Each structure stands twice: as structure tokens, then as C-alpha cells.
Amino acid sequence: MMQNAKLQVEGMSCGHCVNSIEGAVKQIGASAQVDLAGKSVTVQYDESKVTLEAIKAAIEDQGYDIV
């Protein structure tokens, strides 16, 4: 079942940040849409394949803080 979640993320400022986060989330089998102005990341994922905690960890591993 597909789930959506909106995460507040600090430390994103540019296109590189967008690519880092979207790439990291894609690597674990989910998709992310980054809103730099809103300091948020909307993720879509299949909870039978990946957990929200794993997605958060992937974003934090890129050096960003989830609030």
C-alpha cells in the first residue's frame, strides 16, 4: 500500500541538496519531492518494502536534519 508523508527538513539550500535527497530516497525504493522554500520533503513509499524510518535515515545520512 502506498503511503505519503511530509517531512520538515533543515539544511537544504540548493539544487545539489534536492538531488542528494531525491537520489538517496530513490536508492531505497521510494520517491521524494523536495520543496526548498517550504523546507519540506514529501515522500511516497510502499510500506511493505520500506519504512518511513528508513527514509528518514537515508535523508539524515546525506547530512540533513529532520525536524
Side-chain angles (χ1 to χ4, degrees), residues 12 14 17-19 21-22 32-37 40-42:
M12 304 183 300
C14 63
C17 301
V18 172
N19 293 339
I21 290 173
E22 290 180 352
Q33 190 170 12
V34 176
D35 175 3
L36 284 177
S40 68
V41 178
T42 303

Side-chain angles (χ1 to χ4, degrees), residues 1 3-5 14-15 23 27-29 31 36 42 44 46 57 59 67:
M1 184 172 168
Q3 298 289 321
N4 287 324
C14 63
Q27 238 178 356
I28 61 168
S31 66
L36 284 177
T42 303
Q44 269 195 317
D46 182 340
I59 293 171
V67 187

Side-chain angles (χ1 to χ4, degrees), residues 11 19 38 47 56 60-61 63 66:
N19 293 339
E47 63 185 353
K56 289 179 179 179
E60 289 178 332
D61 285 347
I66 296 171

